Amino acid sequence: MSSEQVEVEGRRLKLSNLDKDLYPEFTKGEVIDYYARVAPVMLPHLKDRAATRIRWPDGVRAQKFFEKNAPSHTPDWVRTATIPTPGSSTGRDTLDFVVVDDLPTLVWCANLAALELHVPQWKVGPRGAVHDPDLVVFDLDPGPPATVVEACEVAHLLRDLLAEDGLDSYPKTSGKKGLHLYVPIKESARTSDYAKAAARRLAEEHPGLVVAKMDKALRKGKVFVDWSQNNPAKTTVAPYSLRAADEPSVSMPVTWDELDACDGAADLRFYPADALARIDGHGDLLEPLLSERQPLP
């Protein structure tokens, strides 16, 4: 298997098994190349957020594992943050999370076959303090036979509901079958309560289309507006992250016009080459998440 020593921003990295297929017809070398090229727009969304890495060392058709704790072989230049994890399945009260603040760390994660990077809606301060969330997120998950077309319809309804509260919102694809809607806010401890109330309001107003309860039996043909990812213990797949499926799809920022025009799943499915071309054309459509700070009502 091919491997090579590289220098990334002054850090020496040994990249291994570059020709191994992590997806059918998409190699580990291509995964690392994608993350290196998408880094300028992706890193600002990862910065200061404790990353959960989901790793597929033998590719997407083999076993995966969730990695929250930094592994024992983590280089000393990788930033870590010790975060309380009460009730953790590991039986530990804290875990040392990796914080992906720079290109060498992102490449190091990709070399460990961390295909998916998930982050919470809160940040870690320079000395490790956990801040209140600065994002609200809604995960719009269509229950078959509903598809992303219905999710687009619900996204518009949710956008209007949030706008009534004076909040602008920004969509991206989940990279699978749904959508994520983000609201950048001033830091607040009330995000979970707010998101739950907004989702329930939408479900009451549109009972034939929207469900806000976790019960899977209720979801058939409707779009589940999952507000639970605002729980501080939960994470959402990061913008521009790959997703593990038969093909390397990307969780991609999209425009409201694209949601309007969506006729089927293929319209909102993006692969690495598409993602990089879109970034060249549009820049980062989620840049407002980094700069806007709206007060929660």
Side-chain angles (χ1 to χ4, degrees):
M1 285 286 193
S2 59
S3 64
E4 62 179 273
Q5 293 273 357
V6 296
E7 189 166 296
V8 181
E9 293 181 352
R11 306 294 186 191
R12 290 196 68 73
L13 288 162
K14 184 184 180 189
L15 307 180
S16 60
N17 301 337
L18 294 175
D19 52 6
K20 181 182 200 171
D21 281 332
L22 292 185
Y23 296 84
E25 299 180 41
F26 199 76
T27 65
K28 185 174 168 186
E30 289 173 300
V31 167
I32 294 170
D33 178 67
Y34 167 72
Y35 274 123
R37 292 171 66 190
V38 83
V41 292
M42 186 178 191
L43 284 170
H45 295 286
L46 297 171
K47 186 172 167 50
D48 297 328
R49 297 188 193 271
T52 296
R53 288 96 53 220
I54 310 183
R55 292 172 54 187
W56 280 264
D58 295 308
V60 295
R61 291 183 172 168
Q63 286 292 99
K64 68 178 177 188
F65 64 98
F66 285 77
E67 191 168 63
K68 294 178 182 284
N69 211 35
S72 58
H73 54 78
T74 302
D76 58 9
W77 46 261
V78 168
R79 180 182 171 193
T80 59
T82 304
I83 308 284
T85 51
S88 160
S89 59
T90 62
R92 293 179 49 180
D93 293 332
T94 64
L95 291 174
D96 298 323
F97 283 79
V98 169
V99 184
V100 185
D101 276 351
D102 56 24
L103 180 59
T105 305
L106 184 58
V107 171
W108 174 75
C109 287
N111 186 54
L112 293 175
L115 298 178
E116 296 190 5
L117 298 172
H118 293 242
V119 288
Q121 316 319 322
W122 44 264
K123 289 183 175 176
V124 181
R127 286 178 294 282
V130 174
H131 288 228
D132 282 334
D134 61 353
L135 294 171
V136 176
V137 68
F138 298 91
D139 179 3
L140 310 184
D141 186 11
T147 68
V148 75
V149 174
E150 284 78 15
C152 289
E153 191 181 338
V154 172
H156 278 94
L157 296 171
L158 183 53
R159 177 181 72 165
D160 294 346
L161 183 147
L162 295 166
E164 287 170 21
D165 283 343
L167 298 171
D168 289 331
S169 52
Y170 301 89
K172 73 171 169 67
T173 69
S174 69
K176 293 200 168 170
K177 60 183 171 63
L179 298 171
H180 295 147
L181 203 58
Y182 285 90
V183 183
I185 57 156
K186 291 180 177 168
E187 285 184 14
S188 170
R190 294 187 299 109
T191 54
S192 196
D193 291 343
Y194 175 78
K196 182 179 183 178
R200 289 193 166 168
R201 215 159 93 213
L202 200 67
E204 282 164 17
E205 290 171 15
H206 304 277
L209 183 61
V210 178
V211 60
K213 293 195 169 93
M214 293 283 174
D215 184 350
K216 286 203 161 129
L218 301 174
R219 296 187 201 176
K220 188 177 179 197
K222 298 184 184 183
V223 176
F224 174 44
V225 178
D226 184 358
W227 48 268
S228 72
Q229 290 175 28
N230 297 285
N231 176 325
K234 296 275 190 78
T235 59
T236 306
V237 71
Y240 306 105
S241 175
L242 293 170
R243 300 307 304 266
D246 275 351
E247 299 175 293
S249 58
V250 176
S251 181
M252 193 71 203
V254 284
T255 66
W256 286 106
D257 287 346
E258 286 175 304
L259 297 194
D260 266 337
C262 176
D263 285 330
D267 291 346
L268 293 178
R269 193 175 291 128
F270 304 101
Y271 301 109
D274 308 320
L276 295 165
R278 286 169 64 83
I279 292 159
D280 284 345
H282 301 301
D284 178 17
L285 292 173
L286 291 181
E287 195 281 329
L289 303 191
L290 309 170
S291 53
E292 272 190 33
R293 289 293 163 254
Q294 308 172 103
L296 262 193

